[in-house]
Amino acid sequence: MNESYKSEFIELRKWLKDRKFQDSNLAPARFPGTGRGLMSQTSLKEGQMIISLPESCLLTTDTVIRSYLGAYITKWKPPPSPLLALCTFLVSEKHAGDRSLWKPYLEILPKAYTCPVCLEPEVVNLLPKSLKAKAEEQRTHVQEFFASSRDFFSSLQPLFAEAVESIFNYSALLWAWCTVNTRAVYLRPRQWECLSAEPDTCALAPYLDLLNHSPHVQVKAAFNEETHCYEIRTTSRWRKHEEVFICYGPHDNQRLFLEYGFVSVHNPHACVYVSREILVKYLPSTDKQMDKKISILKDHGYIENLTFGWDGPSWRLLTALKLLSLEAEKFTCWRKVLLGEVISDTNEKTSLDVAQKICYYFMEETTTMLQKVSRMKDEKEALINQLTLVESLWTEELKILRASAETLHSLQTAFT
């Protein structure tokens, strides 16, 4: 459904036109599955420029420092981070309402986000363990960011009639942090003396940031130093009235959920992570060499990023299981295992059997979690949107595990 007629997009178009941006290729629209995005107004060819956004439309630290906040940022010690500068500007401009020069852009930004840091604790508890741990780290990071910024916010009091504590509160900063984290594009590093040495590479790109992610497309995106525009060229073809996508990167669903607050269906990069605890769950506890084997895996980088994917257990996961399954008399062959050599049929079969047990364990756990999510959806209607997102994550993981189970069954058949 084309949404160009909506008042907020009419105002945004006017605002962009005043900043020398006009576009006939794309139009805002609402799509089933992805929600709001950009639709092609005409057929787009491979290699064609789909959007070229002038530098005057970008919101960067340059924008902030040249604003009314610049004097306060310049004199604050230690220097604020580029992220804090951007977040402060967003909160301040949102508070300004109709007085903000950036109002047309602010009006189309999400009012709330679905990154794990924004979810209710009881919903976070339903996430896969590895993602839950990262979500809790994310929440702690944002809370510390807020706590460490409060003195700087207090210094801005002369700019406001209201108490700064009521303007720059945690929920306002969380919204600004999520806006930058989920929507910013990358610019080459810049350096301001009045800002900390942290990488200054983020820019908010009005209108361009309506483009949704698809793992199945490729684009070329960068700031063009000659035209002074942020440009995106497609390497795909689009028919008229199709949704136009960009790719945020080859991210699995847990990464997409953590950083952007959504799950990609049929994501070829999606996977299920195997922790060290689960890795050894079905190996004999009587193995006296187990600690040494774990140490070898750790030393050679084989204890992390062990996964099940659409094609079955990853090479890294099977390699780790082959080393862990080595019999005592074959232990000296561990280097050959890491090089991909076959030690024996027994070792191959044992590692596949263990992989299958781990896969079945995850399938059972995933089914149990989906049942928990379903029950909570019935009990907590206010959380249904958050729970539906978590449900989609578990559903995709279950599909991956079923595909892996089939692959493992086929591989095991060779040894029967």
Side-chain angles (χ1 to χ4, degrees), residues 213-231:
H213 164 82
S214 170
H216 306 289
V217 303
Q218 288 185 323
V219 295
K220 294 179 180 178
F223 185 79
N224 187 325
E225 297 291 347
E226 294 181 4
T227 63
H228 290 278
C229 292
Y230 193 91
E231 300 174 348

Side-chain angles (χ1 to χ4, degrees), residues 270-289:
C271 59
V272 177
Y273 287 92
V274 180
S275 66
R276 173 181 165 176
E277 173 193 5
I278 303 303
L279 185 66
V280 299
K281 184 178 177 69
Y282 296 101
L283 292 165
S285 56
T286 53
D287 187 345
K288 295 179 180 179
Q289 295 168 321

Side-chain angles (χ1 to χ4, degrees), residues 43 99 135 151 154 166 178 205 210 219 258 267 274 280 358 390:
S43 59
R99 293 177 287 113
D151 287 344
S154 295
S166 65
C178 288
L210 291 170
V219 295
L258 182 70
N267 181 0
V274 180
V280 299
I358 294 173
V390 174

Side-chain angles (χ1 to χ4, degrees), residues 43 100 109 197 365:
S43 59
S100 171
L109 289 173
E365 179 192 51

Side-chain angles (χ1 to χ4, degrees), residues 9 15 70 106 170 213 330 370 375 378:
F9 289 117
W15 183 84
L106 297 172
Y170 178 74
H213 164 82
K330 300 280 188 180
L370 281 167
R375 283 196 298 272
D378 292 335

Side-chain angles (χ1 to χ4, degrees), residues 203-272:
L204 291 170
Y207 196 65
L208 181 151
D209 62 7
L210 291 170
L211 288 163
N212 287 319
H213 164 82
S214 170
H216 306 289
V217 303
Q218 288 185 323
V219 295
K220 294 179 180 178
F223 185 79
N224 187 325
E225 297 291 347
E226 294 181 4
T227 63
H228 290 278
C229 292
Y230 193 91
E231 300 174 348
I232 296 181
R233 291 183 183 274
T234 178
T235 57
S236 308
R237 295 180 181 180
W238 305 97
R239 293 192 299 270
K240 187 177 181 179
H241 296 156
E242 275 190 317
E243 180 172 11
V244 177
F245 292 97
I246 57 175
C247 182
Y248 299 172
H251 303 317
D252 62 65
N253 276 336
Q254 291 198 18
R255 173 78 182 275
L256 289 174
F257 197 155
L258 182 70
E259 300 294 345
Y260 303 102
F262 68 85
V263 171
S264 179
V265 178
H266 306 308
N267 181 0
H269 309 295
C271 59
V272 177

Side-chain angles (χ1 to χ4, degrees), residues 20-86:
K20 312 301 182 190
F21 172 74
Q22 286 183 288
D23 174 52
S24 59
N25 287 334
L26 306 171
R30 189 160 292 276
F31 301 89
T34 56
R36 193 178 64 182
L38 290 178
M39 174 181 72
S40 57
Q41 297 266 60
T42 182
S43 59
L44 299 172
K45 298 175 183 177
E46 187 176 331
Q48 185 173 341
M49 181 92 70
I50 57 174
I51 195 165
S52 178
L53 193 68
E55 188 173 18
S56 56
C57 299
L58 299 177
L59 198 168
T60 66
T61 51
D62 183 54
T63 312
V64 181
I65 291 167
R66 296 181 191 279
S67 75
Y68 53 90
L69 292 172
Y72 293 85
I73 289 171
T74 302
K75 67 184 179 184
W76 187 257
K77 301 299 178 193
S81 67
L83 176 61
L84 179 56
L86 290 171

